[in-house]
Amino acid sequence: MIGAALAMNSAAAATDVELVSGRAFGTGWQIVAPLGAGIARLVPDIEALFDDIDRRLSPWRADSAVSRFNTGPARIHARDPALAVVTAAALEIARQSKGAFDPTVGPLVARWGFGPINHGGEPDWEAIGVGPHGVTKDRADLTLDLCGIAKGWALDRAARLLQGAGVQDALLDLGGELIALGSHPDGREWQVAVASPIASGPVVGALRLPRGRAVATSGVREQSYVLNPRRYSHIIDPATHEPARGGLVSVTVVAPDAMAADGWATALFAAGGVAGPRLALAEGIDALFLSEARGGLRQVATGRISEFML
């Protein structure tokens, strides 16, 4: 993940910034902005925004729009606007990644010890559609799990909320995914640390985030377990129906918006340490791949990611 806490705490230690924080989607969020931006006044609006998205897109809630879709019949037309927008984006990344990103793998995620969708059949993202009448599916047993992209969309919405309220310079963090608005109070670009993909490891490096850019990381740090002696992550390779293998421990993506960064980080990690970089090169994705290697971590950079590294 991105070292958001390190970056935020460092920024908050300065006297020329203000910071607000809270909880959403089972994780924490923080916003740092120049002193006088008045971001504290926006906390109720941000919390209401995140609560609304959670009510619509959380598979952990039986009453959410996505859960109602998952238990609905074939040819259901789920008309929730948020569900339609995020599903359409998920299907586009699924198409571009040739299925490495698959929003219908929820039952497999649960089968391997992660996630709440413990019912449903074989994944098939091509059997999901989005049209004028909402989101539909060809089979009743198909389910949607948008956790690999929805948090990014929520972060984009929060950034737009701040901009609409007149906040032009801020760094927003939602569970380690970040988006930069404007610049740091000292005039430079916002900077964030790249944490080690192993919980006890040191910071790997740092990235600068130009105006409007977002960054997200997928990896084994937060949700994984080791068993005899393989490490199992929550990110499923749709081709094998198993947690992604091959020694890859994290993928960090910088993109024009947080939803793209979130979705592509998931897709590239699922693709693996060999196919992932090839896919990133083919699609022009700015990504940093970290894999286990003797004596440390092996880095593979694609696109313009090297230009963002400090």
Side-chain angles (χ1 to χ4, degrees), residues 21-93:
S21 62
R23 298 283 301 175
F25 314 116
T27 188
W29 63 264
Q30 300 181 86
I31 301 172
V32 61
L35 191 65
I39 54 177
R41 63 189 163 90
L42 301 176
V43 169
D45 293 334
I46 294 165
E47 291 177 335
L49 171 68
F50 288 159
D51 286 346
D52 180 65
I53 293 172
D54 189 65
R55 283 195 299 269
R56 294 167 181 258
L57 301 183
S58 173
W60 298 90
R61 299 179 56 140
D63 62 342
S64 68
V66 71
S67 292
R68 292 195 301 271
F69 174 84
N70 289 344
T71 56
R75 307 297 179 183
I76 185 177
H77 292 283
R79 300 175 184 273
D80 184 275
L83 181 65
V85 168
V86 179
T87 300
L91 294 178
E92 179 61 16
I93 294 180

Side-chain angles (χ1 to χ4, degrees), residues 55-266:
R55 283 195 299 269
R56 294 167 181 258
L57 301 183
S58 173
W60 298 90
R61 299 179 56 140
D63 62 342
S64 68
V66 71
S67 292
R68 292 195 301 271
F69 174 84
N70 289 344
T71 56
R75 307 297 179 183
I76 185 177
H77 292 283
R79 300 175 184 273
D80 184 275
L83 181 65
V85 168
V86 179
T87 300
L91 294 178
E92 179 61 16
I93 294 180
R95 183 190 67 79
Q96 292 177 316
S97 68
K98 298 177 176 59
F101 183 92
D102 188 337
T104 65
V105 297
L108 296 179
V109 176
R111 186 182 304 171
W112 287 96
F114 309 96
I117 304 176
N118 53 17
H119 66 281
E122 291 295 296
D124 183 4
W125 63 270
E126 292 180 295
I128 302 289
V130 180
H133 301 294
V135 184
T136 189
K137 56 183 177 179
D138 292 346
R139 298 183 354 235
D141 65 348
L142 277 173
T143 61
L144 276 174
D145 182 354
L146 300 172
C147 292
I149 192 170
K151 192 167 66 173
W153 185 68
L155 188 57
D156 289 330
R157 293 282 308 277
R160 289 198 292 272
L161 188 156
L162 261 66
Q163 290 175 310
V167 178
Q168 298 304 313
D169 300 296
L171 181 65
L172 295 83
D173 158 39
L174 177 57
E177 299 178 14
L178 297 101
I179 189 167
L181 300 180
S183 57
H184 188 275
D186 67 8
R188 61 170 171 82
E189 293 169 324
W190 293 102
Q191 298 175 4
V192 297
V194 181
S196 169
I198 308 301
S200 59
V203 169
V204 174
L207 295 171
R208 63 179 183 85
L209 273 187
R211 180 187 306 268
R213 288 277 172 170
V215 61
T217 295
S218 289
V220 302
R221 180 182 174 111
E222 297 300 319
Q223 297 188 61
S224 68
Y225 59 86
V226 177
L227 184 65
N228 294 331
R230 177 182 168 186
R231 182 181 294 275
Y232 295 83
S233 83
H234 68 291
I235 301 173
I236 300 298
D237 177 356
T240 64
H241 290 195
E242 296 184 358
R245 303 186 70 167
L248 192 62
V249 288
S250 75
V251 180
T252 297
V253 171
V254 176
D257 60 79
M259 184 160 63
D262 192 8
W264 273 109
T266 303

Side-chain angles (χ1 to χ4, degrees), residues 244-251 268-278 289-291 298 300:
R245 303 186 70 167
L248 192 62
V249 288
S250 75
V251 180
L268 295 174
F269 191 97
V274 175
R278 292 174 182 169
F289 296 78
L290 297 179
S291 300
R298 181 173 67 92
V300 175

